[in-house]
Amino acid sequence: MKGLHSRGRIALAAVAAVCSVGALPGQAAAVGESDPYVFDQQATTVAGAVASNDAKQLKAGSTYRSSIKPGGQLYYQVDLDATSDTYVSAVAVPGLGAQEKVDYTDGIKVSLQDLTGDSCGTDDDAVFGSAGYPRPIAAHATRTVEKDGTSCQSAGPYYVVIERTTKATSAQDEWGLEIRVDSEPGLTPGSAGPTEAPSSWPSASPVPPSGTAQQTKGGTGFNDAAALKPGVWGDRIRPGQTRFYRVPVGWGQQLFPSADLGSSSGSGFVADALHVELYNPVRSGVATGYTAYDGKPKSAAPDPLPPVAYRNRYSVREEVSGARMAGDYYFAVTLSPDVAKSFGEKAYGLTLRMSVKGAEGPPPAYAGAVPHYGTSAGEGTGHGAMRLVGIAGIGTGTVLVLGLGAWTLIARRRAEAVPAQGIQEPGRQSAPQYRPPSAW
């Protein structure tokens, strides 16, 4: 029986290892460490060029994985048409351990440039700012086709330029990059509508939803962000961690998200303890919020957005121009690692309150197919998409085969220890049938 138990434990360990494969990218990290960022598993790896003439090609609708060194300036190339708006986002992922150090001025900048090096419009930089601790940050660049536009309006090749700023006293590791290129078709002739952003809109936040929180688990990046419906959601977060959530917002609707950090024993004061960042469907940062923490319940919310409308893109205000399209809006919540120093290295209660105001309206009259950025309104489930992720060359098929093999081994070893079916010992019930769970 000792050998049976030993082999059974080995088989069960194999099952546990197989089941953990899908969770490895976002599994709980060691004390004082953050979870690793979950990169898009379908991303193509591409090296940025230090000179424009060596730039590798990027395509709209695709995601790429790259990296950048301190002080780096990298070039990529993308072909644009003369009718679509184009969005390029770059998520920078520094070392996320507690030993990593970043300065408030450290960050990245993304720009779209023509062949003469002139900027195509909106260039964006993302820095750690007052929340000066390592976490994923995202910057973007936009090329907008305008009726009377003068720069970057023609079809042809353009450059995507990503620059990194890192202070000499900061950690000098390479940062991972996740680059995404999206396009949005123009409108049919004669249907452009207003070409000015709204001057006012209902900006008063609604009464936050209340009631018993449904439990969820935030993702560690855009790709495994937990999908939420409007309502109250509960999660846990450790110091140094960032949790990602996504909420579908339709045309004409307004999103009002907030994050509440629960109370804790201990004493102290941490400035910018809970930092929240709101991103639109093409990963453009649109609004931020934060709160200090002294052990009492606290709440953080970004500035309110206007109702989602095509005309918002004509505004110079980030929180207005960002609400230019329907789709998944991403809510990233980070808890400062300094919280652990005063209140302990543990998981803290996090309550998310998601409000979406307004009825969903029709999309604008696109000249092409209506772009689909994430789920449509009402499809949120409260959990990230279920995925079996291949780790170190282990594909989904291999995972399933390993799992079935482990269950078969358990069944065989147990069968050796019980009488054959139909030859029942006195006082013993028939041996149960061991097989993989029905879900397999």
Side-chain angles (χ1 to χ4, degrees):
M1 290 299 292
K2 182 177 180 180
L4 171 62
H5 290 161
S6 177
R7 288 189 292 268
R9 285 193 295 269
I10 293 172
L12 286 171
V15 172
V18 168
C19 293
S20 70
V21 167
L24 274 175
Q27 65 186 4
V31 173
E33 300 290 326
S34 177
D35 288 345
Y37 180 88
V38 172
F39 286 87
D40 186 342
Q41 299 300 312
Q42 305 302 316
T44 300
T45 299
V46 59
V50 296
S52 60
N53 54 298
D54 296 323
K56 300 295 191 299
Q57 190 78 21
L58 307 180
K59 295 182 179 180
S62 299
T63 306
Y64 299 85
R65 185 167 179 176
S66 192
S67 62
I68 189 168
K69 295 179 179 179
Q73 176 176 277
L74 301 179
Y75 286 86
Y76 309 84
Q77 188 178 153
V78 62
D79 286 336
L80 305 184
D81 60 28
T83 60
S84 302
D85 288 352
T86 302
Y87 308 96
V88 181
S89 66
V91 182
V93 184
L96 300 178
Q99 75 281 1
E100 300 293 335
K101 182 180 179 182
V102 296
D103 186 75
Y104 74 97
T105 60
D106 292 353
I108 61 168
K109 178 181 178 181
V110 181
S111 59
L112 265 170
Q113 299 177 2
D114 64 18
L115 297 183
T116 65
D118 290 334
S119 176
C120 288
T122 303
D123 300 340
D124 179 45
D125 64 345
V127 297
F128 295 105
S130 59
Y133 36 82
R135 63 187 187 278
I137 55 175
H140 70 279
T142 302
R143 191 286 297 261
T144 302
V145 176
E146 300 173 343
K147 182 179 179 181
D148 299 320
T150 57
S151 64
C152 302
Q153 300 294 294
S154 61
Y158 291 82
Y159 294 121
V160 174
V161 184
I162 301 178
E163 303 168 73
R164 173 181 166 184
T165 301
T166 302
K167 205 167 184 177
T169 53
S170 300
Q172 300 296 303
D173 301 345
E174 276 195 346
W175 290 356
L177 291 177
E178 185 173 68
I179 306 167
R180 174 80 191 172
V181 182
D182 287 290
S183 64
E184 182 185 24
L187 303 182
T188 57
S191 62
T195 56
E196 293 183 357
S199 58
S200 63
W201 65 88
S203 59
S205 299
V207 176
S210 60
T212 302
Q214 302 180 64
Q215 293 304 302
T216 187
K217 184 175 182 180
T220 62
F222 289 93
N223 302 289
D224 67 343
L228 305 182
K229 294 179 180 178
V232 185
W233 300 86
D235 200 357
R236 309 289 290 180
I237 188 170
R238 288 183 172 273
Q241 288 183 331
T242 299
R243 289 285 176 256
F244 283 77
Y245 311 89
R246 57 189 174 94
V247 181
V249 185
W251 293 102
Q253 294 184 318
Q254 279 180 284
L255 172 64
F256 296 89
S258 65
D260 301 345
L261 183 61
S263 61
S264 173
S265 58
S267 62
F269 180 84
V270 181
D272 213 336
L274 190 68
H275 186 88
V276 298
E277 187 92 23
L278 185 61
Y279 298 90
N280 72 8
V282 291
R283 303 183 179 184
S284 298
V286 293
T288 62
Y290 68 93
T291 183
Y293 188 62
D294 58 2
K296 299 177 181 178
K298 301 295 179 184
S299 183
D303 292 335
L305 304 184
V308 172
Y310 189 89
R311 64 184 295 193
N312 290 340
R313 68 194 61 213
Y314 302 115
S315 175
V316 296
R317 296 174 56 183
E318 193 172 67
E319 70 273 17
V320 178
S321 65
R324 64 175 60 198
M325 60 188 60
D328 282 349
Y329 280 70
Y330 297 89
F331 191 52
V333 181
T334 304
L335 184 61
S336 170
D338 291 339
V339 170
K341 300 175 183 178
S342 297
F343 303 97
E345 178 60 63
K346 58 187 177 183
Y348 290 75
L350 188 66
T351 301
L352 306 159
R353 302 182 191 275
M354 300 293 169
S355 297
V356 176
K357 288 178 59 179
E360 183 174 6
Y366 283 110
V370 176
H372 184 67
Y373 302 108
T375 61
S376 61
E379 290 183 5
T381 63
H383 304 281
M386 184 176 68
R387 301 175 182 174
L388 283 174
V389 181
I391 302 298
I394 300 179
T396 301
T398 306
V399 170
L400 294 176
V401 169
L402 287 173
L404 289 169
W407 277 104
T408 301
L409 177 59
I410 294 172
R412 286 178 179 173
R413 297 311 181 192
R414 287 179 174 173
E416 292 173 2
V418 297
Q421 186 174 356
I423 308 177
Q424 185 173 339
E425 292 182 356
R428 172 176 286 189
Q429 296 180 352
S430 299
Q433 299 299 305
Y434 296 101
R435 56 186 179 273
S438 59
W440 287 15

